[in-house]
Amino acid sequence: TLASHHHCLWELEQLCRTRAFESAFRFMIPPYSKKLFINVNPNVLHDESFQKGLTKEYLNEFQISPGNIIFEITERNMIRDIDGFIAAVDHYKSQKYKIAIDDTGAGYSGLNLISDISPNYIKLDMKLTRHIHSDRIKSALVKGMVELSKASSISIIAEGIETEKELETLIDLGVHYGQGYFIQRPDKDVKEIRPQVVELVRELNDRKND
């Protein structure tokens, strides 16, 4: 909000993105195939400075393919120019970048935004994840999103997973991916997920498929 007030939104976006690339570059081992989700304010996507600042030459410096970059757009931001925004999204998708809608279920645009831009990923807001194992309404809503993903080839990511029960329920519902404190806490350095968590995810998937 402060950056927007002082007309420095692009500068902040550039700084955060560069730091993210640098951190990922230190972590990844060639051929640098891990996916990198970058938070982006939707109102700078069609900014000329943004488009010029994300050239393939820039990515080559970090040995990262455009196909492994996912622009994570939050529903919490009001989009001032929806037509320009949709055109910008189409431009980046044509350049092999991927799009994720963040905080789905918590913002202003809801299903209309998903319909307008057909993202590659939908990230479910953590309020849908919290205590989902004991909440039939939340479970039904997420199940509906999973059915949508099957019909549209959109992958679902559940945010805010904090307990084993939440993780187990989300896997049973068919959610593809997850993030949250139970899986990995935020850190200034990119780290591998703890082996015991990886093993638990495998066990829960094996149990579901039996």
Side-chain angles (χ1 to χ4, degrees):
T1 302
L2 190 62
S4 180
H5 177 74
H6 290 283
H7 307 290
C8 296
L9 196 57
W10 156 245
E11 287 82 356
L12 179 62
E13 293 274 344
Q14 174 78 335
L15 175 63
C16 291
R17 189 170 68 246
T18 300
R19 291 292 178 266
F21 284 164
E22 290 172 350
S23 180
F25 182 77
R26 289 195 301 270
F27 169 75
M28 291 190 289
I29 299 172
Y32 305 101
S33 59
K34 294 185 183 298
K35 298 187 184 303
L36 187 61
F37 285 72
I38 303 293
N39 291 97
V40 176
N41 186 307
N43 293 307
V44 304
L45 262 185
H46 53 285
D47 187 297
E48 185 177 343
S49 298
F50 185 92
Q51 295 193 20
K52 287 183 177 179
L54 199 68
T55 62
K56 290 186 178 179
E57 289 77 12
Y58 179 78
L59 291 181
N60 286 340
E61 179 183 344
F62 298 99
Q63 302 181 48
I64 298 175
S65 164
N68 286 327
I69 299 293
I70 298 95
F71 293 132
E72 194 170 309
I73 302 162
T74 180
E75 274 197 63
R76 295 182 189 274
N77 292 103
M78 288 291 287
I79 300 170
R80 293 189 293 267
D81 175 13
I82 188 64
D83 291 335
F85 169 72
I86 293 173
V89 166
D90 289 341
H91 165 75
Y92 289 112
K93 288 168 76 173
S94 73
Q95 300 297 311
K96 308 302 182 184
Y97 297 104
K98 302 293 190 293
I99 303 293
I101 300 297
D102 193 15
D103 298 328
T104 298
Y108 303 98
S109 305
L111 297 178
N112 287 332
L113 184 59
I114 296 171
S115 175
D116 284 341
I117 70 172
S118 186
N120 304 98
Y121 299 88
I122 294 173
K123 300 189 73 176
L124 303 178
D125 185 70
M126 64 177 61
K127 288 184 178 179
L128 288 174
T129 298
R130 191 65 59 251
H131 306 303
I132 189 171
H133 56 284
S134 58
D135 191 315
R136 292 183 179 179
I137 298 297
K138 290 181 180 180
S139 181
L141 286 169
V142 172
K143 185 177 181 180
M145 296 302 292
V146 171
E147 291 303 312
L148 169 66
S149 77
K150 293 177 181 178
S152 59
S153 300
I154 297 174
S155 295
I156 304 292
I157 304 172
E159 299 183 290
I161 301 172
E162 295 189 354
T163 69
E164 183 175 334
K165 284 290 187 182
E166 291 170 351
L167 177 65
E168 181 178 4
T169 300
L170 290 163
I171 288 175
D172 286 343
L173 289 171
V175 172
H176 307 98
Y177 304 105
Q179 68 180 69
Y181 284 3
F182 183 79
I183 298 173
Q184 185 82 296
R185 286 185 172 271
D187 196 284
K188 63 183 179 65
D189 297 316
V190 183
K191 296 179 179 179
E192 293 282 5
I193 297 173
R194 290 172 290 125
Q196 55 267 41
V197 175
V198 175
E199 184 59 31
L200 175 61
V201 170
R202 287 177 177 152
E203 288 178 3
L204 292 173
N205 274 283
D206 287 343
R207 189 185 310 168
K208 173 193 172 186
N209 294 326
D210 284 345

